[in-house]
Amino acid sequence: MKKQWMAVALSAGLSQMAMAATYKVDFEGSLRFGQKTVDCPEESTFCEGFVKDLDVRDQPFSMSFTFEVGATPGRTNFTTLHSQSTEPGSGRSYDAWSATERYANWVTTDAQASQVPALPSASSNPFDGAAGVTHQVFTSALRTRSVHSLVGNQQVIRSTDFWSLTSSELWLDPSGAGFQNLVSLTWNAPFAGGTVDNYDDREPLAYFLGMLQQGTNCLQCVGLQWRDATASVDGLYSSVSISGAGRLVSITEITAAVPEPSTYALMLAGVAAIGFAARRRRATDTIKP
């Protein structure tokens, strides 16, 4: 029983250490499509006349994305959604189930944490450094499992696994006007065996890293979304949006897990217990008749 307790203690210590690991993901690919919107008024539904295409097709692009496993206190790391819809063509009603698990979920006011590259033809940011403006940087690494099933018999129509690595910045003034930029790497593929009973199963970090690894096996399977957007104080909207595709070149653990103080205490307690048990055993052996 003591050996089992000590094994559990050491196992818990190792799991806490794993939560502090940092990973670097390298991406290479090319740009496919780009658009720029300038001063589109709120009343314009599709911004016709305010949008122009950007000549970015086939331009090579590469970047690195770094994420630390863990989250800012108070951030939600697991969410589920459920909705019902009807297919326009067949008239079939189906349930859509999804669960999102976040392996990194950070928010900070440190501008150095941003990983968003400068966009071609980027929109100007009039909010940067302005009085009364708040600035936050977000970093996330997540996966989402989705299952679509027929209403009634729960027959699965399709199920998918999706991951994304995202860095974004947000500037907001007291009126609600602001500026946001974002870069996101994404991957989506069928998930065999998905059901309404297992769509919300939790998966370990190793599973997520395995999903990322699949992004190294195909030249154009990882999507790139790269954009900025401005909502001005006078109600005008401007943005730049670029999409691309490529692959992950490498996934590297750049910072090994470092035990927290509580982990050290737990491991030392286990070592002390082992030493105490050994001394007691020797003492018992000594006084045996």
Side-chain angles (χ1 to χ4, degrees):
M1 188 66 181
K2 289 179 181 176
K3 290 181 179 179
Q4 291 177 347
W5 177 84
M6 287 184 285
V8 170
L10 293 174
S11 175
L14 290 175
S15 68
Q16 289 186 35
M17 287 195 295
M19 293 303 292
T22 300
Y23 294 88
K24 177 173 171 284
V25 176
D26 294 308
F27 168 87
E28 66 177 19
S30 60
L31 307 182
R32 289 184 171 180
F33 180 74
Q35 280 190 331
K36 183 165 186 169
T37 302
V38 179
D39 293 339
C40 175
E42 289 181 335
E43 60 270 18
S44 177
T45 305
F46 299 106
C47 290
E48 293 181 2
F50 300 92
V51 180
K52 68 175 183 178
D53 291 339
L54 296 176
D55 184 17
V56 298
R57 188 168 184 83
D58 296 329
Q59 290 185 20
F61 176 79
S62 62
M63 67 170 291
S64 296
F65 185 95
T66 301
F67 68 93
E68 179 184 356
V69 178
T72 300
R75 304 285 288 177
T76 301
N77 285 335
F78 191 81
T79 54
T80 59
L81 290 174
H82 171 238
S83 62
Q84 280 192 355
S85 302
T86 301
E87 291 182 342
S90 66
R92 297 185 305 176
S93 295
Y94 64 89
D95 290 296
W97 313 80
S98 67
T100 298
E101 187 166 13
R102 296 167 178 84
Y103 299 88
N105 189 12
W106 301 98
V107 58
T108 180
T109 57
D110 182 6
Q112 298 299 315
S114 175
Q115 303 181 62
V116 184
L119 275 161
S121 303
S123 306
S124 60
N125 179 6
F127 298 92
D128 189 14
V133 171
T134 61
H135 174 229
Q136 292 180 303
V137 180
F138 302 85
T139 304
S140 72
L142 63 83
R143 67 163 190 90
T144 298
R145 181 169 298 158
S146 300
V147 173
H148 291 73
S149 62
L150 293 177
V151 172
N153 62 13
Q154 295 187 340
Q155 177 186 344
V156 174
I157 303 172
R158 62 183 176 274
S159 61
T160 58
D161 253 352
F162 164 89
W163 61 252
S164 72
L165 305 173
T166 303
S167 176
S168 66
E169 291 183 271
L170 178 64
W171 291 260
L172 281 178
D173 76 1
S175 72
F179 179 89
Q180 182 182 32
N181 60 22
L182 174 149
V183 66
S184 186
L185 301 175
T186 63
W187 177 90
N188 194 49
F191 172 67
T195 70
V196 297
D197 295 319
N198 67 13
Y199 81 97
D200 58 350
D201 285 354
R202 300 291 189 102
E203 300 291 358
L205 175 63
Y207 181 88
F208 179 68
L209 296 176
M211 292 177 67
L212 295 182
Q213 189 63 40
Q214 293 182 52
T216 66
N217 299 329
C218 177
L219 291 178
Q220 298 289 313
C221 289
V222 177
L224 166 71
Q225 297 296 322
W226 188 16
R227 65 176 181 269
D228 65 34
T230 307
S232 68
V233 293
D234 52 4
L236 298 179
Y237 173 79
S238 299
S239 69
V240 172
S241 179
I242 291 176
S243 62
R247 71 184 184 99
L248 301 187
V249 179
S250 62
I251 304 154
T252 309
E253 183 177 3
I254 59 173
T255 303
V258 177
E260 298 176 356
S262 60
T263 306
Y264 279 119
L266 188 62
M267 295 176 71
L268 289 173
V271 173
I274 292 171
F276 175 76
R279 288 194 300 273
R280 184 173 181 181
R281 187 178 302 112
R282 286 197 300 270
T284 303
D285 291 342
T286 302
I287 63 175
K288 278 183 179 181

